[in-house]
Amino acid sequence: MTTHPPIDRATLIEAGKRVIALETEGLSRLADGLGPGFAEACEMILAAPGRVIVSGMGKSGHIARKLAATFASTGTPAHFVHPAEASHGDLGMMSPGDVALLLSNSGETPELADMIAHTRRFGIPLIGVASNPESTLLKRADCAIVLPRAEEACEEGIVPTTSTTMTLALGDALAVALMKHRRFTPEKFRDFHPGGKLGARLAKVRDLMHGADALPLAAPGTPMSEALLTMSQSGFGVVGVAAQDGRLHGIVTDGDLRRHMSGLLDHTVDEVMTENPLTIGPDALAAEALALMNGRKITCLFVLSPEGRAEGLLHIHDCLRAGVA
């Protein structure tokens, strides 16, 4: 049975710090050395009418998959092609109009050979990323980005660590630079992230609100007896007072009912309502609406068009169910 030495926490922490320090140094060298080749790569991607084909083998392949996903979600159409699969039919996933981004620390990854040849044969622009400027990949690339020489984080210097971290950071830098050029807005970002926490944070009021058909509304002059019935049937705890053209004059809330409890049924909605209530527009972020409701300690907001017409109603529970926080 294999035996292990006693665990020394201090040694483990020190090893972890060394890794982070080495990778930080590698990233600093990468940033310092970023030059015209980076801008040229951005220009090639922007000029391509097709997609960015990202590929790499082994650890570089894992980085390539992540970068393809990052590009695709930030406005740059992209997908990953496995180099080994490319040699068995997937080269057809890369065509004129595309641009290839091939990753290889050594620049001599044999599995990339067919992809390199394919780009040369069909005139597909090739961006190569490697640490050896004299490597096959960078010599044959239209745009060569050289990773700086940096020590791998393992003591033996053989495990891809610092090199893959630099490659990942370089790809992220490309994606963000392209975002900046394209003026990629949070609203566009949400189009590619409709689910999960990101989608919830960027959801708009119109995405979560109850529409016009569900609005609890009463016309000016409506007796409170009728308004109470509308209020109880809707389940929102509020009634909007709106003219025939849909313009909101005010709202009747539970608080208004308590303030007019004496002789309530002898009143009309106009006499009980709160005028100029807090409202929100349909294109506002749901997170903004939630902050307003929390700040005012209210549970819902009427959603108004720019002309002041009631278009919907957003309840605080709608925000919480969607994960808005």
Side-chain angles (χ1 to χ4, degrees):
M1 185 175 64
T2 304
T3 59
H4 299 281
I7 294 175
D8 183 344
R9 288 190 171 184
T11 300
L12 294 175
I13 293 171
E14 189 58 35
K17 288 182 176 180
R18 177 181 177 276
V19 169
I20 294 172
L22 286 172
E23 295 195 355
T24 300
E25 181 181 348
L27 291 175
S28 295
R29 292 183 182 180
L30 176 66
D32 292 341
L34 216 58
F38 179 84
E40 184 184 351
C42 291
E43 290 167 357
M44 287 174 62
I45 293 171
L46 290 167
R51 297 176 178 270
V52 180
I53 310 301
V54 194
S55 189
M57 194 69 191
K59 303 298 185 294
S60 293
H62 294 304
I63 299 299
R65 284 184 185 275
K66 187 272 180 189
L67 294 182
T70 299
F71 283 129
S73 69
T74 54
T76 299
H79 63 248
F80 170 80
V81 174
H82 194 290
E85 297 295 337
S87 299
H88 294 275
D90 281 1
L91 282 174
M93 298 174 70
M94 181 166 51
S95 59
D98 293 336
V99 57
L101 174 61
L102 304 187
L103 314 178
S104 169
N105 186 39
S106 68
E108 299 294 348
T109 305
E111 290 86 353
L112 291 176
D114 288 338
M115 293 190 73
I116 294 172
H118 188 78
T119 65
R120 304 305 77 190
R121 179 182 178 187
F122 292 99
I124 298 171
L126 171 60
I127 303 168
V129 177
S131 60
N132 181 5
E134 300 302 316
S135 62
T136 301
L137 173 59
L138 295 194
K139 279 188 170 183
R140 301 196 67 183
D142 299 297
C143 173
I145 300 180
V146 182
L147 296 174
R149 292 290 182 179
E151 183 182 353
E152 297 288 13
C154 70
E155 292 185 354
E156 294 78 10
I158 56 174
V159 178
T161 45
T162 307
S163 58
T164 50
T165 299
M166 290 191 297
T167 305
L168 176 62
L170 176 65
D172 286 343
L174 284 169
V176 173
L178 294 168
M179 280 179 65
K180 184 175 180 64
H181 176 83
R182 290 190 167 107
R183 294 180 174 85
F184 195 80
T185 63
E187 288 75 16
K188 292 178 181 177
F189 189 72
R190 184 190 175 273
D191 290 340
F192 298 106
H193 298 79
K197 198 66 176 177
L198 284 173
R201 285 178 56 194
L202 296 171
K204 291 184 177 181
V205 168
R206 69 166 66 255
D207 300 321
L208 304 181
M209 71 181 190
H210 299 269
D213 293 343
L215 288 182
L217 295 176
T222 300
M224 279 304 302
S225 57
E226 294 182 22
L228 285 172
L229 183 61
T230 301
M231 193 173 183
S232 62
Q233 288 175 339
S234 71
F236 294 121
V238 66
V239 170
V241 181
Q244 191 171 2
D245 63 1
R247 294 178 185 273
L248 191 71
H249 291 189
I251 60 172
V252 178
T253 67
D254 289 335
D256 295 317
L257 298 183
R258 289 191 293 272
R259 283 188 290 273
H260 295 84
M261 187 62 70
S262 178
L264 176 64
L265 298 183
D266 296 329
H267 290 293
T268 65
V269 289
D270 311 71
E271 298 167 330
V272 176
M273 72 181 186
T274 296
E275 297 185 54
N276 300 316
L278 184 66
T279 61
I280 198 162
D283 291 321
L285 290 177
E288 177 187 348
L290 180 61
L292 286 174
M293 287 188 276
N294 284 331
R296 293 289 189 90
K297 294 181 171 56
I298 58 178
T299 58
C300 60
L301 289 169
F302 271 89
V303 183
L304 303 188
S305 70
E307 298 76 29
R309 295 185 179 87
E311 291 189 348
L313 184 143
L314 182 69
H315 197 281
I316 194 168
H317 290 163
D318 301 321
C319 296
L320 299 178
R321 275 194 295 268
V324 179

